[in-house]
Amino acid sequence: MEKAYEPHAIEQRWYQTWEQRGWFAPSGTGTPYCIMIPPPNVTGSLHMGHAFQDTLMDALIRYHRMRGDNTLWQAGTDHAGIATQMVVERQLAGAGQSRHDLGREAFIKKVWEWKGESGGTITRQLRRMGSSLDWTRERFTMDEGLSESVKEVFVRLHEEGLIYRGKRLVNWDPVLHTAVSDLEVIAQEEQGHLWHIRYPLVDGEGSLIVATTRPETMLGDAAVAVHPGDERYRHLIGQLVKLPLTGRRIPVIADEYVDPAFGTGCVKITPAHDFNDYQVWLRHRDSTALLAVPENGLINLFTIDAKIIASDNAPLASLIPPQYQNLDRFEARKRIVADLENANLLVKTDPHKMMVPHGDRSGAVIEPYLTDQWYVKVGPLAEPAIKAVEDGRIKFVPENWSKTYFEWMRNIEDWCISRQIWWGHRIPAWYDADGNIYVARSEAEVRSKHTLADSVVLTQDEDVLDTWFSSALWPFSTLGWPQQTPEIKALYPTNVLVTGFDIIFFWVARMIMMGLKFMGDVPFREVYIHGLVRDAHGQKMSKSKGNVLDPIDLIDGIDLETLVSKRTTGLMQPQMAKAIDKASRKEFPNGIPAHGTDALRFTFAALASTGRDIKFDLGRIEGYRNFCNKLWNAARYVLMNTEDQDCGVNGGELEVSIADRWIASRLQRTIDHVNTAIGHYRFDLAAQAIYEFTWNEYCDWYLELSKPVLQSADSSAAALRGTRHTLVSVLECLLRLTHPIMPFITEEIWQRIAPLAGVSGETIMHQPYPLADESRNDAAIETEMDWLMRFILGVRNIRGEMNISPGKPLPVLLQNGSAEDSARLERYALFLKTLARLESITWLDGAAAPESATALVGEMKLLIPMAGLIDKDAELARLTREIEKLGKDLDKCQTKLANSSYVERAPAEVVAQDRMRVTELRSAIERLDEQATRIRAL
RNA sequence: GGGUGCUUAGCUCAGUUGGUAGAGCGUCGCCUUUACACGGCGAAUGUCGGGGGUUCGAACCCCUCAGCACCCACCA
């Protein structure tokens, strides 16, 4: 083996082997265990969030596979409608073209081409992560089978009246020219204005003052509303006001919606451009007041670009003064405010903070816009979905996310599922010349179902479905639904969904609704919600901030110049490049060194504490790369001492030492911890247990303790066999324990270690996962070992504090030992001498002690003679520190015991423990005091 | 406006049913001891955000205040 661990040398090779041998596929036997990957965008690339999430899923999958479960990790990608279409449109724009220049068919062809080109990136990167996805079952949301599922679901929901088409206000993205759902709208606080505008009364001299943040929409006002109980305006209800700039007459109406305390208490009602106003309008549209208004008051002012309509594109434009026609909405706002001011109708302008809706993809200000769209009636689907979580058929981990889920589900609105884009599942609806709508799986089915003659011309709806519509079906569409496949029978419901909180609404909730509806059962039993991966300073990683880390760069390493150029090219705001350049150079002066996949995975696992966000610090991954190296070198040591030697697997007497028994006992406890931790999705605790056992127990103590046995000429063949046997068998087990988190290094080492441990098999992947064997917990041996360790630590402490070279053998004198101490000394002399580097061990009995530094092992006093070399002050300082520390503990204990109610009420064993402690502390302090006195007297 | 979290060592975080506050990184010493300098050995470091309560006992349970995040929401 190489002296240093080099991940590159092994990772690629092992992944290829695993995949080629078909080892990721379900075994076909055992308890089913299935996870669906949250399908990444097919044309995307792997970011830290994916890498984190996939590490956790792969750890679970490998864990269950090793436990003998019939394990499937379903692979696949998402077509990501808007996102993907935008990428391709941007490419076209680079060539000076728009999708409309190409036409629908050619454009879609282009997108498929792009998918073909870049579609392999993310799946390649998933492989780099070691993800044991079953690639033979890989699906794509727009492949044939999944498209079948989409159609089937649409048609069935439509038949039940749970999908309908309707004209109403939607969130309109004027840049993308499509409707988006409520979830795709991000409200951002912005500094705006509240304009107070005078609306003169038609009769008489008076006027009303209306406060608005959007003066440009006044061109489409249908009414002015006041609160019915508002004394100031009660007498004006039913009167008409003259709409400024147009002269159009609109009524004053009364509606509870108006808050008399806000603004002026008068609200302009623009039903075609404001969600609230639309609701008000619905209540009043049949009133004579509104019937008198053009279009019944529902006046659509905007084109799909959110420009004011003009006479050449809309009949309603006659209502709009020509000077505003064709203006962009924000242009129109400026113009209208100026004109109002000139006309003396602008009473005042107040600064006003408000939430402005933006499209999550385009960033454009979203416009409430009146269009025909398809909707899912969500209420009837939500009800059982709420219940499934309430009664525990689905459990959120951490549990409190269920509150977020309930909160949203209980206030859920109908879901707008149609999008006016081209890349996606075309809506299976057809129209005849009269505008009749037919929904079916195909045009042929429409014709046969409705007995339409071939002469009837049908055109399919132009729209496509929201991407999340097909994602919602993922847990069963990937298994072959609507066909009744064996996979569905075996693997649905899946076991756990691993995902981020940001898509609980987008995806998790909708999968639950659809799963219950079409499969009659929940899609997964648990939802593990992990946190967001942030940068080292807690900032969200984003291209625009220039703080993105690419998981592949952490694995392979990247030089500074490449990193900087990666971060500064293709920025939306190129002026940021300089700052990003500077910050990156400061943070990574030498670029990023290679760490390997296993170190990255271990880091993610170690950071994955209960659902909170994680700050990704390079220091952590470095530490875990070192851990890989540690494990690697431990294996080298083991191999050096066991290869071609008798490890006792073919029989022969085994003599085990205290160290052998101790490490076996510790291993059992570690196995127990790791299993418990994984069972609770506490990957951090699992990683920690593995780390501590490997480094602090196996390497620091056990390997060191094995050396005296292996190197001593006096060791019997049985003792050598025993130690070799423990060396290999503990390591072999540790590798299996660690494999789900670090698959590569464990496989590589295991291949060499397993035969020595008498274990055969093609791969560690299919070896049984270690289960704790309580009977091997050996409390007695741990107590013995504790004594041994304290002895050694005592000597080392003195050595360190007295600045004595680690290599210098020391004599040690002992006082005040018990019969047990001397028996132990007898038993463990070899270990003590080697690990503490002792020249000799001598009982002092009655004799006077020379000048020495001291340590205590229980009651026994350990003296290291300093023969004139003693640094009196240093030793005194050390003793004083120790005495003070013990003194503090003693005080605490004594105070507690002096409290009669404590002694009476606390459990007897707790009190007894404290009493014992007091005795121990007193005696220890006494001994240290003696020693301090002696030193002082020197 | 409603909701959910968080606050523990310089930094990043653990802390199981309340019972002696822990780890990693960093820092400071000593050391090239033949598994590993991506290392070994040793050391230092805390008013557990503030205040109050329950309890024999609180980092943990309750109340309250402060600060920081995030999510949802139609106040024009």
Side-chain angles (χ1 to χ4, degrees):
Chain A
M1 278 172 88
E2 296 297 322
K3 187 171 172 186
Y5 167 60
E6 278 169 42
H8 280 98
I10 59 171
E11 291 180 356
Q12 305 284 49
R13 177 162 50 83
W14 276 119
Y15 195 88
Q16 272 175 20
T17 307
W18 294 334
E19 188 177 352
Q20 279 164 9
R21 300 283 192 93
W23 287 340
F24 299 153
S27 62
T29 59
T31 316
Y33 186 84
C34 180
I35 298 179
M36 297 284 164
I37 195 170
N41 182 347
V42 66
T43 62
S45 56
L46 195 81
H47 58 62
M48 291 293 276
H50 293 128
F52 177 38
Q53 188 172 72
D54 295 329
T55 295
L56 302 186
M57 278 185 279
D58 194 48
L60 288 169
I61 286 290
R62 286 179 184 273
Y63 172 74
H64 281 276
R65 194 183 286 123
M66 289 177 78
R67 293 194 59 165
D69 293 347
N70 184 24
T71 305
L72 170 67
W73 187 9
Q74 173 66 46
T77 50
D78 192 271
H79 68 283
I82 294 178
T84 306
Q85 172 160 333
M86 277 176 74
V87 172
V88 177
E89 284 192 277
R90 215 173 296 143
Q91 289 171 355
L92 284 178
Q97 281 187 307
S98 82
R99 66 175 155 125
H100 299 282
D101 296 334
L102 266 71
R104 184 166 189 142
E105 221 168 291
F107 178 78
I108 288 177
K109 205 174 143 222
K110 263 240 137 44
V111 183
W112 277 105
E113 279 168 21
W114 168 241
K115 185 228 168 208
E117 241 173 78
S118 77
T121 305
I122 194 140
T123 51
R124 261 197 313 278
Q125 291 174 325
L126 278 165
R127 287 174 166 93
R128 289 296 315 274
M129 288 300 299
S131 307
S132 57
L133 287 147
D134 183 359
W135 296 108
T136 62
R137 301 185 43 87
E138 183 180 356
R139 306 307 298 264
F140 174 52
T141 47
M142 282 204 4
D143 68 24
E144 217 170 293
L146 270 61
S147 300
E148 282 308 305
S149 307
V150 167
K151 272 185 237 167
E152 188 66 27
V153 165
F154 188 98
V155 171
R156 287 203 205 170
L157 287 176
H158 183 262
E159 280 166 357
E160 284 189 53
L162 292 175
I163 281 183
Y164 62 90
R165 186 173 157 86
K167 189 181 202 109
R168 56 170 73 177
L169 283 191
V170 291
N171 303 296
W172 182 261
D173 188 317
V175 169
L176 299 174
H177 296 166
T178 181
V180 295
S181 73
D182 297 344
L183 288 173
E184 290 157 274
V185 176
I186 313 293
Q188 285 167 8
E189 190 177 86
E190 278 171 29
Q191 188 56 250
H193 301 279
L194 195 56
W195 284 279
H196 290 65
I197 303 167
R198 187 181 304 280
Y199 282 35
L201 289 171
V202 168
D203 297 321
E205 289 298 296
S207 63
L208 283 177
I209 296 172
V210 162
T212 181
T213 56
R214 299 205 57 192
E216 70 279 12
T217 63
M218 68 187 290
L219 300 173
D221 281 0
V224 170
V226 298
H227 192 274
D230 193 334
E231 293 299 335
R232 293 171 296 178
Y233 306 119
R234 198 201 289 257
H235 61 290
L236 298 176
I237 296 167
Q239 294 217 28
L240 294 175
V241 294
K242 212 160 39 173
L243 185 61
L245 308 180
T246 70
R248 196 152 58 76
R249 294 163 173 221
I250 54 173
V252 177
I253 60 173
D255 196 279
E256 301 275 346
Y257 156 70
V258 181
D259 175 3
F262 186 87
T264 59
C266 301
V267 185
K268 69 195 240 348
I269 300 299
T270 319
H273 297 287
D274 183 283
F275 289 104
N276 292 310
D277 294 5
Y278 186 74
Q279 292 304 315
V280 172
W281 177 78
L282 287 177
R283 291 193 282 273
H284 295 267
R285 62 179 166 183
D286 298 327
S287 68
T288 47
L290 274 173
L291 287 170
V293 178
E295 297 298 308
N296 190 203
L298 201 58
I299 302 164
N300 184 357
L301 286 176
F302 291 140
T303 66
I304 58 169
D305 299 300
K307 283 183 178 167
I308 306 282
I309 50 170
S311 39
D312 59 351
N313 60 30
L316 271 185
S318 61
L319 296 171
I320 314 293
Q323 67 270 32
Y324 305 122
Q325 294 189 13
N326 263 328
L327 289 182
D328 173 78
R329 54 189 159 160
F330 300 113
E331 265 314 299
R333 180 181 298 175
K334 277 189 206 154
R335 189 74 181 269
I336 282 171
V337 168
D339 289 351
L340 286 169
E341 195 152 26
N342 291 335
N344 243 338
L345 292 169
L346 187 63
V347 180
K348 65 169 174 173
T349 306
D350 288 339
H352 184 68
K353 272 207 183 113
M354 53 186 196
M355 300 302 279
V356 179
H358 291 264
D360 65 348
R361 292 290 165 187
S362 67
V365 174
I366 292 294
E367 200 60 55
Y369 197 58
L370 197 60
T371 53
D372 281 306
Q373 302 290 344
W374 291 90
Y375 294 88
V376 174
K377 188 174 174 186
V378 191
L381 297 169
E383 205 178 309
I386 291 168
K387 207 153 169 287
V389 176
E390 276 173 345
D391 62 22
R393 275 176 295 148
I394 296 177
K395 265 176 40 199
F396 277 85
V397 181
E399 198 280 326
N400 62 284
W401 284 109
S402 60
K403 287 183 193 166
T404 306
Y405 172 81
F406 288 138
E407 186 66 20
W408 189 67
M409 291 293 275
R410 285 173 183 149
N411 299 295
I412 198 164
E413 302 272 346
D414 283 359
W415 174 17
C416 175
I417 51 172
S418 43
R419 297 289 179 276
Q420 287 67 54
I421 59 172
W422 290 347
W423 176 242
H425 298 100
R426 190 100 173 247
I427 289 176
W430 283 261
Y431 304 87
D432 64 18
D434 302 326
N436 293 312
I437 306 174
Y438 307 97
V439 169
R441 291 158 189 85
S442 65
E443 185 176 332
E445 189 181 289
V446 168
R447 287 185 189 278
S448 69
K449 210 160 128 190
H450 299 275
T451 51
L452 298 177
D454 287 350
S455 60
V456 178
V457 177
L458 291 175
T459 49
Q460 188 174 359
D461 196 306
E462 293 288 320
D463 292 352
V464 301
L465 287 165
D466 183 1
T467 295
W468 296 103
F469 191 87
S470 54
S471 313
L473 319 180
W474 188 249
F476 50 91
S477 64
T478 49
L479 297 177
W481 190 89
Q483 260 75 57
Q484 277 309 314
T485 61
E487 286 91 337
I488 288 185
K489 223 178 214 158
L491 299 167
Y492 192 97
T494 67
N495 294 74
V496 61
L497 179 77
V498 179
T499 192
F501 63 86
D502 49 332
I503 52 174
I504 291 180
F505 307 145
F506 275 110
W507 193 44
V508 180
R510 288 162 178 171
M511 279 192 286
I512 297 174
M513 291 192 280
M514 292 300 189
L516 286 166
K517 177 74 190 171
F518 290 97
M519 303 297 294
D521 201 350
V522 296
F524 29 73
R525 301 181 208 281
E526 290 184 293
V527 183
Y528 172 77
I529 303 287
H530 63 251
L532 213 65
V533 184
R534 297 169 176 277
D535 75 3
H537 313 288
Q539 293 289 313
K540 228 175 182 166
M541 289 190 191
S542 73
K543 177 80 188 159
S544 59
K545 282 189 197 141
N547 62 348
V548 171
L549 284 175
D550 183 334
I552 303 299
D553 293 341
L554 291 165
I555 293 172
D556 293 340
I558 184 169
D559 66 83
L560 181 60
E561 296 312 318
T562 315
L563 175 69
V564 166
S565 84
K566 214 168 146 177
R567 284 182 163 194
T568 50
T569 49
L571 288 172
M572 293 283 212
Q573 301 157 293
Q575 71 273 18
M576 292 297 293
K578 216 175 156 188
I580 291 172
D581 184 300
K582 202 177 151 198
S584 301
R585 283 174 199 281
K586 193 177 165 204
E587 191 162 5
F588 309 102
N590 303 310
I592 299 172
H595 296 95
T597 299
D598 284 328
L600 179 61
R601 289 173 58 120
F602 201 88
T603 308
F604 282 131
L607 292 173
S609 56
T610 51
R612 68 149 72 180
D613 287 356
I614 62 177
K615 295 185 193 175
F616 197 90
D617 187 354
L618 221 53
R620 280 305 271 270
I621 190 173
E622 247 171 66
Y624 294 126
R625 184 208 43 197
N626 295 353
F627 176 62
C628 291
N629 191 55
K630 189 75 177 173
L631 182 61
W632 183 261
N633 277 291
R636 280 181 62 222
Y637 169 80
V638 172
L639 286 170
M640 278 177 202
N641 286 287
T642 54
E643 254 173 334
D644 305 320
Q645 310 210 46
D646 182 358
C647 295
V649 294
N650 301 317
E653 195 197 338
L654 296 178
E655 182 189 320
V656 290
S657 71
I658 175 179
D660 295 322
R661 290 171 62 195
W662 173 78
I663 198 67
S665 176
R666 299 306 303 165
L667 176 63
Q668 292 313 311
R669 291 188 200 275
T670 306
I671 292 170
D672 187 29
H673 282 152
V674 172
N675 276 288
T676 307
I678 295 179
H680 292 109
Y681 300 101
R682 289 301 304 268
F683 302 97
D684 58 329
L685 298 181
Q688 193 186 337
I690 289 170
Y691 185 97
E692 282 175 3
F693 174 80
T694 306
W695 203 306
N696 304 339
E697 299 186 315
Y698 187 69
C699 290
D700 286 351
W701 285 104
Y702 181 68
L703 294 190
E704 294 307 317
L705 288 164
S706 75
K707 287 174 186 175
V709 177
L710 294 173
Q711 286 159 11
S712 165
D714 301 337
S715 298
S716 67
L720 288 171
R721 262 199 299 275
T723 293
R724 289 195 196 111
H725 184 79
T726 308
L727 275 175
V728 291
S729 61
V730 170
L731 179 57
E732 191 275 335
C733 183
L734 173 61
L735 292 168
R736 283 186 280 123
L737 193 67
T738 310
H739 180 258
I741 300 178
M742 301 206 292
F744 294 111
I745 189 172
T746 49
E747 177 79 293
E748 177 72 15
I749 299 173
W750 186 84
Q751 294 288 336
R752 298 168 195 236
I753 291 290
L756 299 171
V759 176
S760 61
E762 282 186 303
T763 173
I764 192 174
M765 277 182 64
H766 290 158
Q767 293 299 309
Y769 199 75
L771 289 176
D773 174 0
E774 296 255 340
S775 72
R776 300 190 63 178
N777 284 346
D778 193 338
I781 216 71
E782 290 189 24
T783 308
E784 289 287 291
M785 186 65 187
D786 193 53
W787 180 91
L788 182 61
M789 288 161 99
R790 276 209 250 181
F791 194 116
I792 293 165
L793 288 169
V795 177
R796 283 177 177 172
N797 176 280
I798 290 170
R799 205 187 272 277
E801 293 280 303
M802 298 285 110
N803 280 348
I804 300 165
S805 160
K808 184 179 159 64
L810 296 175
V812 63
L813 306 175
L814 300 175
Q815 267 186 336
N816 199 39
S818 63
E820 196 175 29
D821 286 326
S822 46
R824 281 170 171 166
L825 196 66
E826 192 85 2
R827 283 201 291 270
Y828 310 136
L830 178 64
F831 293 132
L832 291 174
K833 280 187 175 169
T834 315
L835 269 71
R837 286 246 165 189
L838 296 182
E839 176 192 274
S840 61
I841 304 175
T842 316
W843 282 105
L844 210 49
D845 295 327
E851 346 179 323
S852 310
T854 307
L856 294 175
V857 179
E859 293 286 289
M860 182 173 65
K861 202 162 164 183
L862 204 149
L863 299 163
I864 310 252
M866 292 282 128
L869 297 170
I870 191 161
D871 181 339
K872 203 174 126 183
D873 293 337
E875 177 63 2
L876 261 180
R878 194 178 70 90
L879 288 173
T880 313
R881 245 194 341 259
E882 188 64 22
I883 290 166
E884 268 173 19
K885 204 163 84 187
L886 297 179
K888 247 190 232 165
D889 285 355
L890 180 63
D891 279 353
K892 227 193 267 175
C893 268
Q894 281 177 326
T895 316
K896 238 161 124 187
L897 287 167
N899 183 342
S900 60
S901 45
Y902 167 67
V903 179
E904 280 161 28
R905 302 200 192 189
E909 71 235 40
V910 174
V911 176
Q913 207 182 336
D914 272 334
R915 289 215 166 101
M916 211 159 81
R917 216 175 131 61
V918 165
T919 318
E920 281 168 8
L921 285 168
R922 272 199 190 129
S923 135
I925 290 170
E926 209 174 294
R927 264 159 241 297
L928 292 173
D929 270 335
E930 274 167 33
Q931 183 67 13
T933 312
R934 195 167 312 151
I935 301 258
R936 245 180 244 112
L938 285 176

